Amino acid sequence: MNGLDFFHLLAAEFKKKNFSLYLVGGTVRDILLFRPVTNYDCVTDATPQEVKEVLSNYKLDDSFKQYGVMTLKNEGLHFDIVTLRKEKHYKDSRHPTKIEYVKSINEDFPRRDFTINGLYMDSNNVIIDLVEGQKDLENRVIRTIGKPQARIVEDPLRIVRALRFALDLDFTLDKKLSKVMKRKSKLLKKLNPEKIKQEVSKIQTTDDKKKKKMLENFAINSILEKVK
């Protein structure tokens, strides 16, 4: 069974209990770009405990239940099922100090980083686009949901994530976002350098010259020197 078929099977289980299940984020992005998908990100209006009850016939990993995340692995596929939520107060420049479960994707999408990662797909394969993410996919541009400065200050690691997506997808950075990233790159020093190294290690592009140039332009190489 492929990933989409298994998603539809899971969505049917949620529907029986009057809950919804959506694919979201990079999963939807990669499906639309015809890229291979093995990790499936889902959201639901069910709480973690309700997810456990709906999927009682499956073995779930609830290690991150306190963050609304339940994980299911099936035949080499990885599904993260996350309760729809709002996030508030990023005191450590990485993690919200408060999350609030919600019932609508209209309340969930503002917490997401980039428009191309803000797309949802329902159980009928209908794309729900509240952020013009499909337009940005077509134009091959990385743009934040909301004001760039607010999103980067919330989580400076998004600077590296933006570069990763730009390099791997061969997209361009939105001009406003690029300016904010350069201006706020010093915030990366507040983060654990290992976190930055891990994010950089996910970059899959084979264009080493372009990768090196972009990392230098945003002062990331100097941080990586500390963890070599």
Side-chain angles (χ1 to χ4, degrees), residues 1-210:
M1 182 179 295
N2 66 37
L4 270 181
D5 287 342
F6 190 62
F7 162 69
H8 291 139
L9 187 154
L10 294 178
E13 294 298 317
F14 278 82
K15 189 174 183 180
K16 288 178 186 176
K17 301 292 186 179
N18 297 315
F19 295 116
S20 297
L21 187 70
Y22 304 89
L23 290 175
V24 69
T27 302
V28 180
R29 178 198 70 222
D30 287 345
I31 288 172
L32 293 177
L33 292 176
F34 301 101
R35 288 164 59 89
V37 181
T38 54
N39 292 341
Y40 288 78
D41 294 326
C42 305
V43 288
T44 179
D45 51 348
T47 65
Q49 182 57 40
E50 289 167 337
V51 171
K52 202 169 184 177
E53 293 168 3
V54 170
L55 301 180
S56 59
N57 292 329
Y58 296 90
K59 183 178 180 180
L60 298 174
D61 180 350
D62 63 357
S63 300
F64 296 96
K65 181 180 178 180
Q66 68 269 36
Y67 301 112
V69 182
M70 302 291 278
T71 299
L72 188 160
K73 295 180 181 180
N74 181 74
E75 297 180 358
L77 300 173
H78 182 115
F79 281 75
D80 281 330
I81 302 172
V82 183
T83 302
L84 293 165
R85 67 178 188 244
K86 293 180 181 179
E87 298 178 346
K88 298 180 180 179
H89 309 304
Y90 291 72
K91 284 189 176 181
D92 65 352
S93 298
R94 277 290 290 129
H95 303 100
T97 57
K98 182 180 180 181
I99 64 172
E100 175 187 342
Y101 295 147
V102 296
K103 291 294 184 181
S104 168
I105 60 176
N106 290 284
E107 295 180 278
D108 180 81
F109 85 84
R111 71 183 179 85
R112 301 186 176 275
D113 52 11
F114 307 110
T115 58
I116 62 170
N117 295 335
L119 300 167
Y120 300 75
M121 179 187 286
D122 69 14
S123 58
N124 295 312
N125 294 346
V126 174
I127 302 297
I128 303 167
D129 183 359
L130 304 172
V131 293
E132 297 189 332
Q134 292 176 99
K135 179 180 177 181
D136 287 339
L137 279 178
E138 291 172 6
N139 293 331
R140 305 180 69 82
V141 63
I142 308 296
R143 185 167 58 89
T144 56
I145 295 174
K147 295 182 178 180
Q149 178 153 318
R151 306 324 305 274
I152 295 301
V153 170
E154 275 179 353
D155 183 356
L157 195 62
R158 286 173 176 156
I159 293 173
V160 190
R161 283 173 57 80
L163 294 178
R164 174 162 69 88
F165 295 134
L167 285 165
D168 287 351
L169 301 175
D170 195 22
F171 280 23
T172 58
L173 296 169
D174 169 73
K175 290 181 179 179
K176 290 182 180 179
L177 172 58
S178 181
K179 288 180 180 178
V180 170
M181 286 168 57
K182 287 183 178 180
R183 193 166 65 244
K184 295 294 183 181
S185 62
K186 59 186 178 183
L187 293 177
L188 288 170
K189 295 178 181 179
K190 297 171 63 176
L191 305 181
N192 182 339
E194 285 290 345
K195 288 289 185 183
I196 298 171
K197 183 180 180 181
Q198 289 172 14
E199 193 66 37
V200 170
S201 71
K202 296 176 185 178
I203 297 174
Q204 298 176 353
T205 182
T206 56
D207 191 337
D208 291 335
K209 288 184 178 179
K210 187 175 181 180

